[in-house]
Amino acid sequence: MRKALMAAALLLAATACSVSGASGDGGKITLVVGYQSRTINTVTAGTLLRSLGYLEKRLGDRYAVEWQDYETGAPITAKMVAGKIDIGSMGDYPLLINAARTQPIPAARTELISITGYNLRGGLNMVLVPPGSTARTLSDLAGTKISASVGSAGHGTLVQAMERAKITAEVVNHQPAVGAAQLESGGVQGYAQFVAWPGLLAFQGKGRLVYDGSALDVPTFHGVVARQAYAEEHPEVVDAFLKAQLDATRYLHEHPLEAAESVAKDTGLPAEVVYLYNGRDGISTFDVTLKEPLRQAHQRDVAYLKQISSGFSGVDVQAFVNDSYLRKAYGAAYDRDRASTANPATTTGHDAVCGRPVTDPGTASELWLAGESATRPAATPTCLLRQIAAARGKVRAAYVPDTVTGTRWFADRSVWLKEPGGSFLPFTTQEGADAYRAEHPKAEPVGYADALASVAGGGDAR
């Protein structure tokens, strides 16, 4: 009897671990992909990839693809443990949780097989406060309630940032949308989240950036995991997926505005917000290669995840990473491109207002006018202000890089300083601007409207 029960249990376990890859629908091999449509740092393995149809084209008629959309990585991991999702994408901290929960189970074990997008300084995660809050820095949130999705990349950034600032606060576990509502209603005083929620709330005027994750100077990223058993049984499917992801990444680089509009249509996010992250010189750099700085950051993240998740005891990051499938799909240029951290999609062209070429990514800015199908490059933030002033209210969105961190942000949501020579410098946060002024005391605070009025009156265009 005992042997019979054990056999039945093993059979059920085996069935649960092979449901997603079973033949069905006329004998087709099924691939189940878990993704997060509104986490737009994963679009090349999710929303954009799905809309372009590249995966289905590469797989052909012998295969059926089932796409499952989730708000965070946690349910994707749960289904991968149960063998009901074969390939999924999520952020760096959820990836570690995914590894920890699947590595002890041979049939469910997963491997990190590619990256979707990353930011080497950590700018994909941010902390916001209500627009009317008196808080100017993260330290001002000491002792308050801060909403975060526990175990997420945004939560991990918050923990590291508070540790560095030597403060504590009550972290309230919310799904991103719930936390946003709580911030607006006053239920929490801060909001720590991952891409694209900070940009969305800032764009909607529902939140003000108080901490830019780039201040940590610690890489953050999202990646793709595959169930090892499925990949070994269907290597041709994993190869097709990775080649399709490469196709989608190439499309994103070559058609950033069209890609932003497509993702916006499928997710309900404003295209202006999508482009902030996924456009030229966006906060996210899209590159599938498994770069060494990201692996090292992942290894360091293990210690912080132990702090924020009582059920996490650790993970063997080295064993979790497997780039063999990607090397095969990528080809001979893999090692060269893996060693590079240059953004493949930069802002270039000619600045018509200042009459200068746009060549420096540290100052390159961009203007998106209503009714136009292409953005306009600006050589510097000051040149961008001149373009905005000349546009006379037709601005859809304007983007500038933070003077110190390089994080791209909305021009009208940035904190501005004016230098003695007349040039204007943008910052994502008040804290960043204050730190700059401490070293450059002659730089003076200036409001966005006043900066526009100044350049409209013939101010320096440097």
Side-chain angles (χ1 to χ4, degrees), residues 99-378:
R101 293 187 178 168
T102 64
Q103 281 186 346
I105 310 169
R109 186 173 297 147
T110 61
E111 295 175 319
L112 178 60
I113 61 171
S114 71
I115 301 300
T116 55
Y118 68 90
N119 183 286
L120 282 181
R121 292 188 64 103
L124 296 172
N125 309 309
M126 297 174 168
V127 182
L128 293 92
V129 294
S133 172
T134 59
R136 292 165 59 91
T137 70
L138 183 66
S139 294
D140 293 332
L141 293 178
T144 67
K145 292 182 179 180
I146 302 177
S147 173
S149 299
V150 172
S152 71
H155 185 202
T157 291
L158 175 64
V159 170
Q160 294 186 64
M162 289 197 299
E163 180 181 277
R164 190 171 293 186
K166 298 180 180 179
I167 66 168
T168 59
E170 180 184 347
V171 177
V172 186
N173 187 19
H174 289 137
Q175 290 292 305
V178 175
Q182 284 290 302
L183 185 73
E184 191 172 7
S185 68
V188 295
Q189 291 71 55
Y191 180 80
Q193 278 296 350
F194 49 83
V195 51
W197 291 95
L200 175 63
L201 267 60
F203 180 76
Q204 294 175 332
K206 296 179 179 179
R208 172 171 54 82
L209 193 61
V210 74
Y211 186 82
D212 176 0
S214 293
L216 274 180
D217 200 16
V218 176
T220 184
F221 63 94
H222 288 69
V224 178
V225 283
R227 286 196 303 112
Q228 187 182 65
Y230 184 90
E232 290 176 352
E233 186 177 357
H234 303 291
E236 79 286 356
V237 175
V238 175
D239 185 68
F241 184 93
L242 292 172
K243 287 178 177 175
Q245 187 190 350
L246 283 164
D247 294 338
T249 303
R250 190 176 303 112
Y251 179 90
L252 182 69
H253 292 159
E254 295 174 354
H255 308 280
L257 211 60
E258 293 91 334
E261 295 277 22
S262 173
V263 171
K265 180 180 178 181
D266 287 342
T267 62
L269 290 166
E272 297 89 341
V273 173
V274 179
Y275 193 79
L276 170 72
Y277 292 96
N278 296 9
R280 295 184 181 90
D281 285 320
I283 299 177
S284 179
T285 298
F286 283 86
D287 184 327
V288 303
T289 61
L290 289 149
K291 301 182 186 298
E292 184 60 21
L294 304 184
R295 188 198 65 78
Q296 292 177 4
H298 221 194
Q299 188 67 61
R300 289 193 299 269
D301 289 342
V302 170
Y304 286 99
L305 189 51
K306 287 180 180 179
Q307 292 183 34
I308 64 179
S309 179
S310 58
F312 180 81
S313 59
V315 67
D316 185 346
V317 174
Q318 195 66 35
F320 179 50
V321 177
N322 179 4
D323 67 353
S324 63
Y325 293 103
L326 184 57
R327 284 180 176 277
K328 180 177 180 295
Y330 202 99
Y334 180 78
D335 284 323
R336 180 199 67 194
D337 293 349
R338 178 178 179 271
S340 172
T341 55
N343 192 331
T346 57
T347 305
T348 58
H350 184 76
D351 185 328
V353 170
C354 285
R356 298 165 54 181
V358 180
T359 58
D360 183 359
T363 61
S365 305
E366 205 168 6
L367 179 62
W368 189 355
L369 293 180
E372 294 195 357
S373 58
T375 57
R376 299 185 180 189

Side-chain angles (χ1 to χ4, degrees), residues 364-417:
S365 305
E366 205 168 6
L367 179 62
W368 189 355
L369 293 180
E372 294 195 357
S373 58
T375 57
R376 299 185 180 189
T380 68
T382 307
C383 292
L384 178 75
L385 291 174
R386 288 186 62 189
Q387 290 193 29
I388 295 171
R392 301 183 183 279
K394 296 180 181 179
V395 176
R396 185 168 174 181
Y399 308 96
V400 290
D402 182 282
T403 302
V404 175
T405 67
T407 301
R408 180 159 282 211
W409 200 237
F410 297 113
D412 61 346
R413 298 292 188 263
S414 297
V415 179
W416 290 85
L417 298 179

Side-chain angles (χ1 to χ4, degrees), residues 23-111:
S23 295
D25 189 18
K28 293 183 178 181
I29 296 173
T30 301
L31 168 65
V32 183
V33 180
Y35 72 111
Q36 304 168 65
S37 63
R38 291 171 72 87
T39 304
I40 55 176
N41 195 41
T42 65
V43 294
T44 54
T47 308
L48 184 63
L49 177 60
R50 180 179 185 179
S51 68
L52 292 170
Y54 288 160
L55 177 57
E56 288 80 359
K57 290 175 184 175
R58 283 196 172 274
L59 284 174
D61 295 336
R62 290 187 57 239
Y63 302 86
V65 181
E66 179 183 335
W67 297 86
Q68 296 185 5
D69 187 10
Y70 299 94
E71 192 168 354
T72 64
I76 297 175
T77 290
K79 285 208 166 186
M80 294 189 88
V81 170
K84 295 183 178 181
I85 285 181
D86 305 306
I87 294 177
S89 54
M90 59 194 72
D92 41 18
Y93 278 72
L95 284 168
L96 290 173
I97 294 174
N98 182 285
R101 293 187 178 168
T102 64
Q103 281 186 346
I105 310 169
R109 186 173 297 147
T110 61
E111 295 175 319

